[in-house]
Amino acid sequence: MKNEFKKLIDISNKCASYQTKNLSKSEALFLLIDQEVNKLKNAGINFSFECGGIKYSLPLNIENIFFRPLFKMATHAKIKEANADDTHAVDFDVPVGTEVYSVSDGIVTAIQSDSSTGGNNKEFAGKDNYLYIYNEKENRIYCYRHLERFSNLKLNSLIKKGMLLGRIGLTGYVITPHLHFVIYEIDKKGKYLLKSIPIKFIQ
Ligand SMILES: [Zn+2]
């Protein structure tokens, strides 16, 4: 299945590269991605990802992903309100209601949980429910965006790896439901306080 996995990653990357330039070309690749994801699922392949030397489980259960492209590398250059560079963000396209799990231990350092508005319009930018989870030991912040309203967590809540954080909603600027996921390194001297780190999917 090594070749199938590589194929999936290649198509995903290609799909992502079309996102800002040619949306219809990007969407045409969704079907191919679905096929590849289903092949891997049917073969019982589980995959995870790696980021700067640390291995993680996916923040979503692959069983919940049906006929949707699994992921695409996002091209959001920056998130202004957080002084963050989002070059290496990943969008997981999944249905509304899909459960989101924490990939690490940490503490909630930024949160919005009471929004119920969103859609395909830039005016919804920043109206999404989100969580920023800080892990001091790793000097990393984990960001999860476009969640449904939730009330189980607040600022300074302690998070355990594998914990259910919330569910995917249609909040903020979204064309289709997805989890916007980023791993940041904190760079106090850099242009951006939060610098995204590349994520590599592995089998
Ligand atoms: Zn995104």
Side-chain angles (χ1 to χ4, degrees), residues 94-165:
V94 287
V96 164
T98 297
E99 294 174 336
V100 177
Y101 300 96
S102 181
V103 300
S104 74
D105 294 341
I107 183 168
V108 176
T109 49
I111 182 169
Q112 180 158 278
S113 58
D114 59 354
S115 170
S116 47
T117 53
N120 185 8
N121 191 318
K122 278 196 174 126
E123 73 180 47
F124 293 120
K127 301 265 191 257
D128 57 324
N129 294 318
Y130 57 77
L131 279 167
Y132 284 68
I133 296 169
Y134 172 53
N135 183 306
E136 191 180 11
K137 212 172 85 193
E138 297 165 351
N139 191 40
R140 287 182 177 187
I141 286 188
Y142 300 87
C143 167
Y144 306 81
R145 301 189 81 111
H146 307 300
L147 303 174
E148 246 172 23
R149 274 176 99 112
F150 58 96
S151 55
N152 53 318
L153 298 171
K154 45 185 188 296
L155 206 61
N156 297 327
S157 285
L158 287 176
I159 304 296
K160 282 276 163 210
K161 187 175 168 177
M163 197 173 135
L164 177 67
L165 298 174

Side-chain angles (χ1 to χ4, degrees), residues 16 19 26 55 62 83 105 107 115 146 169:
Q19 262 191 112
S26 161
K55 279 187 180 175
I62 191 165
N83 187 24
D105 294 341
I107 183 168
S115 170
H146 307 300

Side-chain angles (χ1 to χ4, degrees), residues 1-11 36 39-40 45 203:
M1 293 312 276
K2 264 228 152 69
N3 288 341
E4 273 84 354
F5 185 73
K6 197 183 166 295
K7 202 167 151 192
L8 172 63
I9 301 294
D10 289 346
I11 301 168
E36 292 307 312
K39 262 193 227 168
L40 290 167
I45 302 293
Q203 218 175 308

